[in-house]
Amino acid sequence: MVTSDEDAKKAYADFEKKVKRTIYIDHLSPQVTSSVIKAALAQCANVVDVEFIVNYTVPYDIPSAALVELDDEIQAKAALDLMNDFPFIIGGMPRPVRAICAKPEMFRERPHPGIRKEFRWVKQEDGTEYQGMKKLRILAKRQEVENMALIKNQLEEEKELAKQQQELLDGNYNKYDMLENVVQNGNMKSLAQHYGVSLADEF
């Protein structure tokens, strides 16, 4: 007969295997969906599941992150190599995404074999324990303010980077448009004759 302890151990063993075949990706556009991620990684891996990690406490559309489960560890390594060896952009973000191996702490739901959790309110009459929780609360508020400042700075950097990239794209488009016009209106042949350059028949 299988005991509850054995069930817990098996569940955790299965969870550990899942962690090894999962990668963590951030710098994702808020508009990115599971289908977009699956299509982006299709060249090297088959996506089994996507779990987005969204920060609902921030009043901005900031880059989000996701835990992406693949078929096996080999595909996970291939996906990591692809995203770390080359600039890999998903969903039009101005910066390439970042990817690392997933860790157990990243999962919202995970088994805890042999660990029993208890929750309770801490009251003022609890003395030292209450004072400790109060200090942690103050620290959390301070970190929240610092986090908001960092996020605002990140958004400003992303906006400036996106502007620079758009200017570069517009410049390249105008260059190729000018070349196309030169070919279409016949000026290419005139320039070739002037400089004594032989052109292919298609010009």
Side-chain angles (χ1 to χ4, degrees), residues 30-87:
Q31 285 73 43
V32 167
T33 63
S34 299
S35 299
V36 171
I37 292 179
K38 289 180 180 179
L41 298 180
Q43 55 187 301
C44 64
N46 177 55
V47 176
V48 176
D49 184 53
V50 177
E51 179 183 348
F52 286 98
I53 304 173
V54 183
N55 190 343
Y56 294 103
T57 65
V58 178
Y60 303 107
D61 283 334
I62 64 172
S64 58
L67 289 168
V68 182
E69 180 184 354
L70 308 173
D71 275 341
D72 51 43
E73 293 181 53
I74 296 176
Q75 290 189 6
K77 184 180 183 304
L80 287 174
D81 290 343
L82 175 66
M83 286 182 277
N84 291 326
D85 291 345
F86 304 97

Side-chain angles (χ1 to χ4, degrees), residues 41-167:
L41 298 180
Q43 55 187 301
C44 64
N46 177 55
V47 176
V48 176
D49 184 53
V50 177
E51 179 183 348
F52 286 98
I53 304 173
V54 183
N55 190 343
Y56 294 103
T57 65
V58 178
Y60 303 107
D61 283 334
I62 64 172
S64 58
L67 289 168
V68 182
E69 180 184 354
L70 308 173
D71 275 341
D72 51 43
E73 293 181 53
I74 296 176
Q75 290 189 6
K77 184 180 183 304
L80 287 174
D81 290 343
L82 175 66
M83 286 182 277
N84 291 326
D85 291 345
F86 304 97
F88 198 81
I89 297 176
I90 299 178
M93 282 296 292
R95 290 183 180 177
V97 298
R98 299 179 299 186
I100 61 173
C101 296
K103 299 179 181 179
E105 297 79 14
M106 296 176 176
F107 291 79
R108 182 172 51 188
E109 297 181 2
R110 59 184 184 272
H112 298 276
I115 299 177
R116 183 179 178 181
K117 292 185 176 182
E118 293 183 358
F119 302 90
R120 68 181 179 86
W121 291 103
V122 179
K123 301 178 182 179
Q124 190 168 358
E125 53 264 30
D126 291 328
T128 304
E129 190 173 7
Y130 174 80
Q131 293 300 325
M133 292 299 103
K134 189 175 180 180
K135 289 180 180 179
L136 285 176
R137 184 178 181 182
I138 295 173
L139 178 61
K141 287 185 176 181
R142 188 177 71 187
Q143 289 178 338
E144 181 181 357
V145 173
E146 294 173 349
N147 185 46
M148 291 295 292
L150 289 173
I151 289 173
K152 287 182 179 180
N153 182 63
Q154 179 186 1
L155 291 175
E156 290 174 359
E157 289 182 353
E158 299 286 0
K159 184 178 180 180
E160 181 61 27
L161 185 57
K163 179 182 177 182
Q164 293 175 6
Q165 290 183 338
Q166 188 60 50
E167 291 175 351

